[in-house]
Amino acid sequence: MDASKAERLAALLDGNCTERERQELLAELAAGGDDLEVFADAAAVLHEHEEEEAAAGVIPLHRPVREQPPRPRWKPPRWAKLAVAAGLVALIGGGLLWRGRGTGAGDVLALLEQPALGVPAGVRLKPWGASRGDGEAGKGRDVQLGARLADVEQLAGHDNQAASAAARDVARLLRGRHADPVARQYGDLASGIVPPGGADPEFTRRAIELGGKAAETGVWMEMARFAAAREDSVFFRSSLSLDILNGKGPASVFETERAELRRIGEMVGSEPPRWAEVRTALDSLLRRLAS
C-alpha cells in the first residue's frame, strides 16, 4: 500500500473525506487485492492493540502526538495501521461484500444508499419505453421496479419532477402485490416533494424484496448505466458488480443474458475502458430485460 492510499484511509477514519471519497475507498477495498490483505492484517493489529490497552486501562488516541521520523522507505506509522484497521471493522459492520461472501438484497440496498448525484447527461430514463412491457407481470415488470427505485433515490434533491414520476411508477408497479402500504408510500412521494434522502429505507427494502432478484438486477442495471456515463470504474470493481457481470447473484435469474453481461465486463476491463460501448450495451440490455 502506498503512502497516498494510507493517508486516504486515515482521512476516512478521521472523517476528513467527502462522502464520494468514502464510497470510492470502500468500493476499492471491497474489490480485494493487496490493499485488502494489508487492511486485514491491520485489523489484527488493532485487535491486539485494543486488548493491550483494555488490560492496562488506557484510553487510546488516534495517533501519537510527536512527529514520526522520516523513513528511507515509507512504512505506515502505528496510527495509520489503526486507522485502516478501524475502517475494516466499519466496512464489515456496514455489510459491504467481500470476495467469496456472496451477494444479496442488502448489497443492492447499499447501492441506493450512495449519495444522490442526479441522472448524468445523455442517459435516457425508462429506455424500455411506455409501451414495452410497462406494468406487465413477470420479470420485466420487476426489472422496471428496480430501475425506477434507483431513479427515485438518485433524482431525490436534484429533479423533483422526475423523482416524483419515478415514485409514481414504483407505486403503480407495486399495486396488487400485497404491497399496498409500500405503494401508498411511493404514491405520497409522487404527490409532493421527494426529500433529498429519498424514500424511507424500510419501504425501499420491502419494495426490492417484493420484486426479488429481477428487481435487484434492475437496481444494478440503472446504477451501472449512471456509472458508465460518469466513467466510474470503481463501481464496476465492487463484488456485486463482478458477480453480476459473471451472471451470478441477482443476475442468475437471467441465464440467457450471461454472455452479454460477460461482454460488458470485458469492455469495462479493457485498457482503457470502452465506455461508449459499455453505455450502449447496458442500454440495450436493460431495454430487453425490462420488456
Side-chain angles (χ1 to χ4, degrees), residues 112 133-138 140-150 152-153 165-190 199-212 214-216 219:
L112 299 183
D134 196 26
E136 295 178 4
R141 174 175 173 170
D142 291 334
V143 171
Q144 291 180 29
L145 172 63
R148 294 306 269 163
L149 284 167
V152 171
E153 300 304 314
R168 190 175 304 112
D169 282 344
V170 170
R172 174 177 49 74
L173 290 164
L174 285 171
R175 289 191 190 106
R177 309 171 77 175
H178 305 291
D180 287 342
V182 186
R184 283 197 297 272
Q185 163 80 1
Y186 282 93
D188 291 342
L189 285 178
D200 184 317
E202 179 59 25
F203 284 98
T204 304
R205 179 191 65 78
R206 179 65 179 142
I208 291 176
E209 287 178 350
L210 288 164
E216 293 175 29
V219 170

Side-chain angles (χ1 to χ4, degrees), residues 19-282:
E19 180 62 22
R20 181 175 180 79
E21 289 170 340
R22 174 181 173 276
Q23 294 291 340
E24 288 178 351
L25 274 170
L26 295 181
E28 288 175 21
L29 290 168
D34 294 339
D35 290 344
L36 179 57
E37 293 180 10
V38 174
F39 214 44
D41 290 341
V45 173
L46 176 63
H47 181 66
E48 293 173 3
H49 178 69
E50 286 180 339
E51 286 186 339
E52 292 170 0
E53 291 187 335
V58 176
I59 299 175
L61 297 175
H62 282 299
R63 67 185 72 182
V65 176
R66 66 176 183 272
E67 294 285 331
Q68 293 289 332
R71 298 173 174 84
R73 182 169 181 264
W74 193 88
K75 180 180 179 182
R78 190 163 184 249
W79 69 263
K81 289 184 178 180
L82 298 180
V84 296
L88 177 59
V89 173
L91 188 64
I92 295 174
L96 280 178
L97 44 138
W98 298 94
R99 245 180 227 172
R101 175 168 113 26
T103 56
D107 305 316
V108 175
L109 279 170
L111 287 181
L112 299 183
E113 293 170 357
Q114 295 187 22
L117 301 175
V119 176
V123 174
R124 175 192 170 196
L125 298 178
K126 298 176 64 173
W128 53 86
S131 63
R132 300 196 62 186
D134 196 26
E136 295 178 4
K139 293 179 183 177
R141 174 175 173 170
D142 291 334
V143 171
Q144 291 180 29
L145 172 63
R148 294 306 269 163
L149 284 167
D151 292 340
V152 171
E153 300 304 314
Q154 286 300 295
L155 287 161
H158 290 271
D159 185 335
N160 190 68
Q161 183 176 356
S164 295
R168 190 175 304 112
D169 282 344
V170 170
R172 174 177 49 74
L173 290 164
L174 285 171
R175 289 191 190 106
R177 309 171 77 175
H178 305 291
D180 287 342
V182 186
R184 283 197 297 272
Q185 163 80 1
Y186 282 93
D188 291 342
L189 285 178
S191 62
I193 301 296
V194 180
D200 184 317
E202 179 59 25
F203 284 98
T204 304
R205 179 191 65 78
R206 179 65 179 142
I208 291 176
E209 287 178 350
L210 288 164
K213 290 186 179 297
E216 293 175 29
T217 304
V219 170
W220 182 86
M221 288 291 303
E222 190 75 335
M223 296 295 284
R225 293 201 308 141
F226 298 164
R230 297 186 180 107
E231 300 187 359
D232 181 4
S233 297
V234 172
F235 174 90
F236 293 95
R237 290 200 298 266
S238 73
S239 294
L240 175 60
S241 293
L242 293 174
D243 270 0
I244 288 177
L245 292 172
N246 282 291
K248 302 176 184 177
S252 60
V253 297
F254 298 102
E255 294 183 5
T256 58
E257 321 303 318
R258 287 184 179 178
E260 180 67 9
L261 287 165
R262 288 196 183 94
R263 191 173 73 86
I264 292 172
E266 291 170 0
M267 291 187 290
V268 172
S270 64
E271 189 56 47
R274 306 200 300 273
W275 291 118
E277 295 177 51
V278 172
R279 291 193 292 271
T280 299
L282 286 170

